[in-house]
Amino acid sequence: MGLSNASGDLSTEVEVDAFRCLFPLRFYEKHLLESIRPDARPLGRARETTIALGAVASANGSALAKIGSTTMLAAIKMEVMTPSLETPDEGCIAIDFHMPPICSPIVRPGRPAEAAPVVAKQLSDTILSSGMINLKELSLVSGKAAWMAYLDIYCLDADGALFDTALLSAVAAFSHLEIPVVSLNDDGKIVLSEEQGLSDREPVNKEKRKINLSSIPFSLTCVLHKNYILADPTAEEESIMDTIVTVVLDSSSQLVSLHKPGGTVLAYTSAIQDCIALTRQRVKELQKILEEAISGMEVD
């Protein structure tokens, strides 16, 4: 009798998997009628989220962020540069987003992922327009030396909500960032003290320091399908329901940006308002997770 039940359960499971593969939209719509998703999440709930600071020892700031299975590694390397004539009192931030073939079966070796430049542009626009970092803080000597912050984000697992996870890893990496000590070398140039062996020279900046962050941006991506809104979609959900809305709010719940790259569902005012309301709740969750990660780092 036990064997018969086991065979029946296995047969049912195979049938469900086959139905999901053959008719993915109908499979999801059956769940949506019950206001639940195949992974047992309510429609408005994001996946489990974690942040680990200091993931890359050789970087000046780094973080590993995970939302569900989606995993991003962010690392910041600081270098001294000559500021431009237009902004002599400001440093710069250069952002690059990488999607190696290991992150997803749809990314092929030797071919750049289509999503990579889109996410990189979104990240750059969001971080610079939010005012999270005052670029004047990156100045060393007006018109002569300033910091260039190279932020590289590597997607290790792409299972939906790429921008949300990438932005979270970037914010966490900047929270972990320490500005290195620099000194004047024999040629009168400002260089990193540790790299040039100038620890005995009078430093230009006295000690390593954290950078002040304000108006920190957080985001939530939602997919729209008929009258349903699904927060924090998986890659499967994004591929089946093609209307995506990404809302970015800062830590004061002020709107930074709203991104809707096409899609078949019209984003009515009520739907946008619902997405913003879900994002406000998500911002509180992400702020708490980030604060706990920073507190844990300080204790260590």
Side-chain angles (χ1 to χ4, degrees), residues 217-272:
F218 297 99
S219 65
L220 178 67
T221 296
C222 301
V223 291
L224 310 182
H225 180 68
K226 295 182 178 178
N227 295 322
Y228 301 104
I229 299 176
L230 286 73
D232 181 29
T234 62
E236 183 182 31
E237 289 169 342
E238 288 181 347
S239 66
I240 296 169
M241 297 168 249
D242 62 350
T243 303
I244 298 173
V245 174
T246 300
V247 178
V248 183
L249 301 178
D250 65 19
S251 45
S252 301
S253 290
Q254 297 299 308
L255 183 65
V256 176
S257 67
L258 189 148
H259 183 62
K260 180 183 180 291
T264 56
V265 178
L266 291 174
Y268 293 105
T269 303
S270 58
I272 295 298

Side-chain angles (χ1 to χ4, degrees), residues 6-298:
S7 300
D9 292 342
L10 181 60
S11 175
T12 303
E13 186 177 336
V14 170
E15 289 175 2
V16 170
D17 289 342
F19 182 74
R20 183 173 189 167
C21 291
L22 293 172
F23 308 104
L25 185 57
R26 285 174 58 190
F27 175 81
Y28 266 88
E29 286 179 339
K30 284 180 176 292
H31 286 80
L32 294 180
L33 290 172
E34 304 296 328
S35 296
I36 199 164
R37 293 146 90 165
D39 60 8
R41 279 189 294 155
L43 304 189
R45 181 181 297 172
R47 292 167 290 177
E48 183 180 353
T49 303
T50 59
I51 297 173
L53 300 180
V56 181
S58 59
N60 299 115
S62 61
L64 182 74
K66 293 187 68 175
I67 298 179
S69 295
T70 304
T71 307
M72 300 284 173
L73 178 65
I76 303 171
K77 198 69 177 174
M78 305 295 288
E79 290 189 6
V80 179
M81 67 159 195
T82 302
S84 66
L85 296 175
E86 293 79 13
T87 55
D89 297 317
E90 294 183 0
C92 287
I93 300 172
I95 300 171
D96 208 352
F97 181 73
H98 310 268
M99 290 186 70
I102 61 167
C103 75
S104 170
I106 64 172
V107 179
R108 300 294 183 184
R111 298 181 184 177
E114 292 182 6
V118 177
V119 175
K121 181 68 165 60
Q122 273 186 278
L123 286 169
S124 182
D125 291 346
T126 299
I127 290 173
L128 295 177
S129 67
S130 67
M132 177 178 76
I133 297 171
N134 181 1
L135 295 179
K136 292 184 181 296
E137 269 203 63
L138 300 179
S139 178
L140 286 166
V141 178
S142 179
K144 294 184 177 180
W147 287 112
M148 166 68 86
Y150 290 98
L151 169 62
D152 285 284
I153 301 174
Y154 294 86
C155 179
L156 304 182
D157 194 338
D159 187 25
L162 300 186
F163 173 75
D164 298 348
T165 317
L167 179 61
L168 182 60
S169 70
V171 165
F174 276 112
S175 299
H176 178 252
L177 174 65
E178 284 190 336
I179 303 294
V181 176
V182 291
S183 303
L184 287 171
N185 67 7
D186 295 333
D187 298 326
K189 294 182 179 179
I190 294 178
V191 294
L192 294 175
S193 299
E194 295 176 357
E195 289 184 3
Q196 300 294 326
L198 300 175
S199 56
D200 57 330
R201 298 289 184 88
E202 180 68 20
V204 175
N205 53 339
K206 301 296 183 184
E207 59 185 11
K208 290 183 179 181
R209 64 177 177 86
K210 293 285 189 180
I211 194 166
N212 294 316
L213 302 181
S214 60
S215 303
I216 298 175
F218 297 99
S219 65
L220 178 67
T221 296
C222 301
V223 291
L224 310 182
H225 180 68
K226 295 182 178 178
N227 295 322
Y228 301 104
I229 299 176
L230 286 73
D232 181 29
T234 62
E236 183 182 31
E237 289 169 342
E238 288 181 347
S239 66
I240 296 169
M241 297 168 249
D242 62 350
T243 303
I244 298 173
V245 174
T246 300
V247 178
V248 183
L249 301 178
D250 65 19
S251 45
S252 301
S253 290
Q254 297 299 308
L255 183 65
V256 176
S257 67
L258 189 148
H259 183 62
K260 180 183 180 291
T264 56
V265 178
L266 291 174
Y268 293 105
T269 303
S270 58
I272 295 298
Q273 289 174 338
D274 289 342
C275 290
I276 292 174
L278 287 170
T279 307
R280 285 201 176 98
Q281 297 175 13
R282 180 63 171 157
V283 167
K284 294 177 182 177
E285 295 173 7
L286 294 175
Q287 281 179 305
K288 183 179 179 182
I289 292 168
L290 180 59
E291 288 168 1
E292 289 175 351
I294 294 171
S295 299
M297 195 73 183
E298 290 173 351

